[in-house]
Amino acid sequence: MKIAIGQGSCGIASGSKKIEEAFRRHVAEHNLQAEVTITGCIGGCYLEPIVDVYQDDGQVVRYVHMTEDKVDKVVKQHLIGHEPVDEYRISKSGTDFLEKQTRIALKNCGLINPEDIRDYIKVGGYEALKKAIFEMDGKTICKEVERSGLRGRGGGGFPTGKKWGLVAAQKDPIKYVVCNADEGDPGAFMDRSVMEGDPHKMLEGMIIAGIAIGAKIGYIYVRAEYPLAVKRLKKAISQAEEWGFLGKNILGSKFSFEIRINLGAGAFVCGEGSALTASIEGNRGMPRVKPPRTVEQGLFGKPTVLNNVETFSHIPFIIANGAQIYRGIGTDRSPGTKAFALTGSVNKTGLVEVPMGTSLRELIFDIGGGIKNNKAFKAVQIGGPSGGCLTEKHLDLSLDFDSLSKVGAMVGSGGLVVMDEDTCMVSIAKFFMDFTEQESCGKCVPCREGTHLMNEILDDIVNGRGTKEQIDMLMELADTVTTTSLCGLGKTAALPVMSTIREFQDEYYAHVVEKRCPTGKCKGLKRIEIIANKCKGCGLCLDACPANAISGKRRQPHVIDKSSCTKCKLCIDSCKFDAIVEI
């Protein structure tokens, strides 16, 4: 019998470390023949902490929302009494969340021990590498990846095989493989989960890329805010070296390859290729003018393959199963699967991997379980701060690179933030613009000054100082920033603003013309009112107001001077008749 405790970041944050300790203690106390181990995040973050009990008969019993208090009952009733504790088990709804997915990058996450290479090998790990080394050459690998139709999962969607072929064709004898594991989008955690739950799969993809282009060194650029991912990557690299999958003369062949880890300091702009490579080199992470492209002059001025974690994690499947099998998943122009981080006002938050072309409706309502508290769906922010907002009319849109581009959105790295009827779309635009302004490297004027000006205008709008003219100015600035910025950060920075103005223009006009927020979420637009027929004229609010914004005669309804009111709410606290409200 084996007990596997989910210990991705979400599981640990939910208390799984203490649950592991409790199981180990009980197993020792009762002298049980049971192995207690760990695994990564299976994707159902809303179910954490998750514990899987692998019975001797081959059946798996999955317990969810586990706590230390529940461990004792599971041990006594299930491990000793051989009777599963039904009230702790995953529900049909939770099972549907996982079974409705098609998993390639995330296939092993939550099922194997990410800190034990033997678990990865048991599920077919490094078989693709053996095939690439002994049955294929670099050109064949590049062609196979190109035939698969795999496009970069980091956001740009550039054909992966084509990129590898361009690097392989460069005459420079020194080439590099770089994995972008920076993942700076708010609400995105797909790459983190792969590194925490199945790090060897990503490493295998990188090694195969090294064979394909003739590189001897690979770099993983991972944000330092992912300490668990970094720890498991280091362990995986060490184990791969011990087992002969990394280092000199891999598996007894003539091919040698090493992988190094570089920690990033959390700069969003370092997700851009040239800024990322500059950071690895020890320079300030700032984009440069192109051409030359990274495939020609990347890391240390050498031809470089640069893909993200998810992209490399698709490679072993393609090499092991063939391009045609891979092309049978997804759409014709966007084959394969895509992992999305489903967050926000949705019942089942977590990681979801589905075939390209799956609709938003399937993701949010079939897999995600719909909107929290039976609220109405309003919009979804896709692609993080570089993406746009999609609305109800887009629910049946195919989620693929080309379809999203046509409606002014993008797949991005895969963040999906679901919003309900109570969400203020102007505030959402302000949130993402604030993020982008702070993350701009400042190198080019359009991005540096444009995002700042747009943020200032949005600040005016959410605080009641906005005008109709400023909405037009926002669109003009958005067009300028988009067309003239140097890198992808600037070129996509205005997408949240443009899409929210396009889809929720009435909401913007309510802010600037009526000076109200339809959802009541913008504090700057809230006002304090005295309800005349409830006010007794006692004068308590008048005495409590530090701004002297209230006036009125005793025993007659009082009034508030809105120009003087600081909205401190002391008047509301002082009123004994519920005559003062914030609206």
Side-chain angles (χ1 to χ4, degrees):
M1 188 175 285
K2 183 173 77 171
I3 305 150
I5 297 122
Q7 288 196 6
S9 289
C10 52
I12 292 172
S14 301
S16 66
K17 285 283 189 183
K18 291 183 179 179
I19 293 169
E20 179 194 358
E21 292 169 5
F23 269 109
R24 291 189 184 280
R25 186 170 60 252
H26 278 282
V27 167
E29 286 175 0
H30 295 283
N31 196 28
L32 298 175
Q33 296 300 308
E35 175 193 0
V36 179
T37 185
I38 64 167
T39 185
C41 171
I42 200 165
C45 301
Y46 76 104
L47 298 170
E48 293 288 355
I50 298 173
V51 174
D52 286 340
V53 176
Y54 291 78
Q55 300 179 154
D56 294 334
D57 62 4
Q59 297 295 310
V60 181
V61 176
R62 175 162 290 149
Y63 294 113
V64 297
H65 302 305
M66 281 293 291
T67 63
E68 284 183 88
D69 296 337
K70 295 177 179 178
V71 173
D72 183 63
K73 188 170 185 178
V74 170
V75 170
K76 290 177 179 176
Q77 183 175 316
H78 189 180
L79 304 190
I80 298 174
H82 305 291
E83 187 67 38
V85 185
D86 288 338
E87 61 263 40
Y88 300 164
R89 294 176 71 167
I90 190 170
S91 66
K92 177 68 165 59
S93 172
T95 303
D96 286 346
F97 173 83
L98 297 168
E99 290 181 349
K100 288 181 178 180
Q101 301 180 41
T102 301
R103 294 158 74 90
I104 293 177
L106 302 176
K107 183 179 180 181
N108 300 326
C109 292
L111 301 178
I112 66 172
N113 183 343
E115 298 186 9
D116 191 339
I117 192 173
R118 293 171 297 180
D119 271 21
Y120 183 63
I121 292 171
K122 285 177 186 176
V123 294
Y126 290 114
E127 289 299 317
L129 174 60
K130 293 176 185 176
K131 182 178 178 180
I133 287 179
F134 299 114
E135 300 177 31
M136 307 171 79
D137 57 22
K139 188 175 182 180
T140 309
I141 294 170
C142 289
K143 287 295 181 184
E144 190 70 6
V145 175
E146 188 168 359
R147 278 195 294 268
S148 75
L150 173 65
R151 296 170 68 171
R153 296 308 197 246
F158 190 83
T160 304
K162 183 178 180 181
K163 178 186 286 187
W164 290 16
L166 289 170
V167 176
Q170 301 298 313
K171 294 181 179 179
D172 197 314
I174 300 176
K175 301 179 177 72
Y176 292 102
V177 174
V178 176
C179 178
N180 180 357
D182 194 49
E183 194 174 45
D185 290 6
F189 50 96
M190 297 75 58
D191 290 352
R192 186 195 73 197
S193 289
V194 172
M195 290 185 285
E196 291 178 356
D198 192 11
H200 286 283
K201 181 177 287 185
M202 181 188 87
L203 298 183
E204 186 174 8
M206 290 181 68
I207 301 165
I208 293 171
I211 300 169
I213 68 168
K216 297 184 182 300
I217 300 176
Y219 286 84
I220 301 171
Y221 187 84
V222 57
R223 54 199 303 109
E225 295 95 329
Y226 284 177
L228 182 60
V230 172
K231 172 193 166 187
R232 289 180 178 167
L233 280 173
K234 287 181 177 178
K235 183 169 285 190
I237 289 171
S238 176
Q239 290 175 345
E241 289 171 343
E242 288 176 20
W243 283 68
F245 298 118
L246 264 178
K248 292 184 178 180
N249 304 119
I250 292 174
L251 298 174
S253 70
K254 294 181 180 180
F255 177 67
S256 300
F257 192 77
E258 63 175 290
I259 292 179
R260 302 171 183 175
I261 294 176
N262 272 76
L263 299 184
F268 181 64
V269 74
C270 284
E272 193 276 341
S274 60
L276 185 153
T277 53
S279 182
I280 293 177
E281 293 165 1
N283 301 313
R284 184 179 176 188
M286 299 176 75
R288 59 170 169 78
V289 177
K290 304 174 194 67
R293 302 283 176 180
T294 306
V295 294
E296 301 153 347
Q297 292 182 29
L299 185 62
F300 303 119
K302 302 296 182 179
T304 302
V305 156
L306 175 59
N307 290 119
N308 80 327
V309 172
E310 190 179 351
T311 307
F312 282 121
S313 295
H314 281 248
I315 298 301
F317 180 94
I318 292 169
I319 298 302
N321 297 282
Q324 283 306 113
I325 298 293
Y326 188 81
R327 286 203 75 94
I329 306 168
T331 68
D332 183 54
R333 289 180 54 81
S334 297
T337 60
K338 179 72 188 81
F340 292 95
L342 201 55
T343 60
S345 298
V346 64
N347 284 312
K348 301 176 184 178
T349 55
L351 282 180
V352 177
E353 186 175 1
V354 293
M356 279 285 199
T358 299
S359 69
L360 274 174
R361 190 182 303 278
E362 292 174 85
L363 265 180
I364 297 170
F365 292 93
D366 292 349
I367 298 175
I371 310 303
K372 281 183 179 178
N373 303 316
N374 293 315
K375 296 280 186 178
F377 169 79
K378 186 171 187 177
V380 60
Q381 175 74 18
I382 185 167
S386 302
C389 282
L390 301 177
T391 62
E392 190 171 4
K393 69 183 181 183
H394 300 116
L395 280 175
D396 295 308
L397 180 73
S398 170
L399 289 180
D400 61 73
F401 294 105
D402 303 315
S403 298
L404 287 172
S405 179
K406 289 176 183 176
V407 295
M410 62 186 294
V411 174
S413 61
L416 276 177
V417 183
V418 180
M419 293 166 276
D420 63 28
E421 58 190 287
D422 295 332
T423 305
C424 173
M425 302 311 295
V426 185
S427 293
I428 288 295
K430 171 79 172 67
F431 170 81
F432 282 109
M433 186 51 64
D434 187 57
F435 175 85
T436 308
E437 181 196 353
Q438 291 182 40
E439 293 296 331
S440 172
C441 73
K443 183 174 183 177
C444 69
V445 174
C447 180
R448 183 183 70 237
E449 299 300 325
T451 55
H452 175 70
L453 288 171
M454 291 179 73
N455 203 16
E456 280 192 334
I457 292 173
L458 288 167
D459 190 66
D460 283 344
I461 293 174
V462 298
N463 283 293
R465 302 185 298 269
T467 65
K468 289 192 291 185
E469 291 73 23
Q470 283 184 312
I471 297 176
D472 295 331
M473 193 182 301
L474 271 177
M475 291 302 284
E476 289 178 19
L477 282 167
D479 182 63
T480 301
V481 172
T482 300
T483 54
T484 59
S485 289
L486 179 63
C487 81
L489 184 148
K491 290 183 182 298
T492 58
L495 276 177
V497 176
M498 290 191 291
S499 63
T500 51
I501 291 177
R502 183 173 61 247
E503 302 295 341
F504 299 96
Q505 192 175 79
D506 290 347
E507 205 160 307
Y508 274 84
Y509 276 97
H511 281 69
V512 300
V513 177
E514 302 171 37
K515 300 299 179 186
R516 70 178 182 87
C517 174
T519 65
K521 292 299 171 85
C522 292
K523 292 183 179 179
L525 286 169
K526 287 189 175 183
R527 58 186 186 275
I528 310 295
E529 293 278 359
I530 296 178
I531 303 172
N533 61 4
K534 284 190 174 183
C535 180
K536 307 299 182 183
C538 66
L540 288 176
C541 61
L542 192 149
D543 295 336
C545 180
N548 296 319
I550 300 176
S551 60
K553 295 181 179 179
R554 198 161 185 80
R555 295 191 177 86
Q556 292 184 15
H558 289 17
V559 293
I560 297 176
D561 179 4
K562 294 179 181 60
S563 63
S564 302
C565 178
T566 61
K567 303 172 187 175
C568 67
K569 301 183 186 179
L570 289 175
C571 57
I572 296 177
D573 296 337
S574 70
C575 183
K576 297 181 179 180
F577 306 101
D578 296 325
I580 309 177
V581 294
E582 181 184 46
I583 58 175

